[in-house]
Amino acid sequence: MKRLMTIAALALGQAACVANQGDAPFRFLDARALTFEAGVGCVPSDELVIGSGSLDLSGGSPNYLLAMSVETNNSSQPITINQEQFSGPGLSDITVNEFVYSYEFVPSAGGAAANLIDTQEESTAVYRVLRPGTNADQSYVFMNAFGPKGAVALTGKNGTVFTTIKARGRLSSGQVVESNKFTFPIRVYSSGASYSCAGTQVPAGTCVVGQDVAVITDDDSCVDAT
């Protein structure tokens, strides 16, 4: 079993928080560090995890990409036919169909924390199937850190957003289930920097332009996207 190592993505005082909820049928644990590999795409680390992030809105993206390690707490149910027991693949699958978001925004200039959007929560539809016995060392789920309303509300913001996410889904039986909640802090700001690269190139090591990356200063900071 690999042991995930924690690194500081940025010099933030806050760190990600994962609710215990050990009885949840599926759980999100650490956020994996991401890199972009030419010809491959966005690759989550097998060993490095991050506790916070940043998003320079000058990069053009209104969202932050997470790769959350995930594990399931359910087991396959056997099928018995004519008193003979068979394995039961699929009977305890969890089909994830919704991410539910809530946000707290803390301005850099000081002041009270406030809800980022005009509702307590928002949700977005997704599709992902998790098999029984999914291991967090070997499995992850890509997700945006902000739903549609949250992404729009980032415009002009300078501060830290604590985004809290949980997932809902169904067992093969139809029973509705929920994951644990986790909270991930992201510093949002607009530096006014240019992140443009020539042709089909992209900023080196970056899955999302403006996410956890230094300002582009020369051609050596860009790599081919294909």
Side-chain angles (χ1 to χ4, degrees):
M1 178 184 297
K2 293 184 178 179
R3 185 173 182 179
L4 296 179
M5 299 168 59
T6 302
I7 61 172
L10 298 155
L12 289 180
Q14 302 87 359
C17 176
V18 178
N20 184 15
Q21 298 184 26
D23 58 347
F26 63 115
R27 295 182 294 276
F28 297 113
L29 302 180
D30 294 302
R32 299 184 179 210
L34 301 178
T35 56
F36 180 88
E37 294 185 8
V40 178
C42 190
V43 179
S45 173
D46 287 336
E47 297 181 344
L48 301 178
V49 299
I50 58 176
S52 60
S54 76
L55 183 63
D56 184 354
L57 300 173
S58 298
S61 172
N63 224 313
Y64 184 101
L65 183 64
L66 288 167
M68 299 298 299
S69 296
V70 63
E71 66 181 8
T72 56
N73 192 33
N74 60 334
S75 58
S76 297
Q77 300 298 315
I79 299 174
T80 301
I81 301 177
N82 295 329
Q83 298 182 339
E84 183 175 354
Q85 182 171 302
F86 297 83
S87 61
L91 281 184
S92 295
D93 285 353
I94 298 172
T95 301
V96 181
N97 50 38
E98 182 183 18
F99 288 137
V100 181
Y101 299 87
S102 60
Y103 318 97
E104 182 180 66
F105 174 67
V106 180
S108 291
N115 196 4
L116 182 67
I117 59 176
D118 59 1
T119 56
Q120 189 65 32
E121 294 182 339
E122 70 163 326
S123 66
T124 184
V126 297
Y127 176 78
R128 178 67 190 260
V129 176
L130 303 177
R131 305 306 305 272
T134 294
N135 187 313
D137 288 338
Q138 301 171 352
S139 302
Y140 59 86
V141 173
F142 278 120
M143 64 182 72
N144 286 324
F146 303 100
K149 283 188 175 182
V152 170
L154 295 179
T155 303
K157 293 294 190 296
N158 187 338
T160 300
V161 179
F162 295 84
T163 178
T164 298
I165 307 172
K166 68 178 178 180
R168 289 196 183 108
R170 291 181 181 273
L171 297 174
S172 299
S173 64
Q175 178 185 351
V176 175
V177 291
E178 290 188 350
S179 74
N180 62 324
K181 290 182 180 180
F182 69 90
T183 299
F184 191 83
I186 301 171
R187 182 190 171 213
V188 295
Y189 62 100
S190 296
S191 70
S194 172
Y195 288 86
S196 60
C197 291
T200 60
Q201 291 191 321
V202 297
T206 305
C207 290
V208 177
V209 179
Q211 174 174 323
D212 300 340
V213 66
V215 175
I216 300 303
T217 56
D218 53 50
D219 291 340
D220 291 337
S221 300
C222 299
V223 297
D224 289 328
T226 58

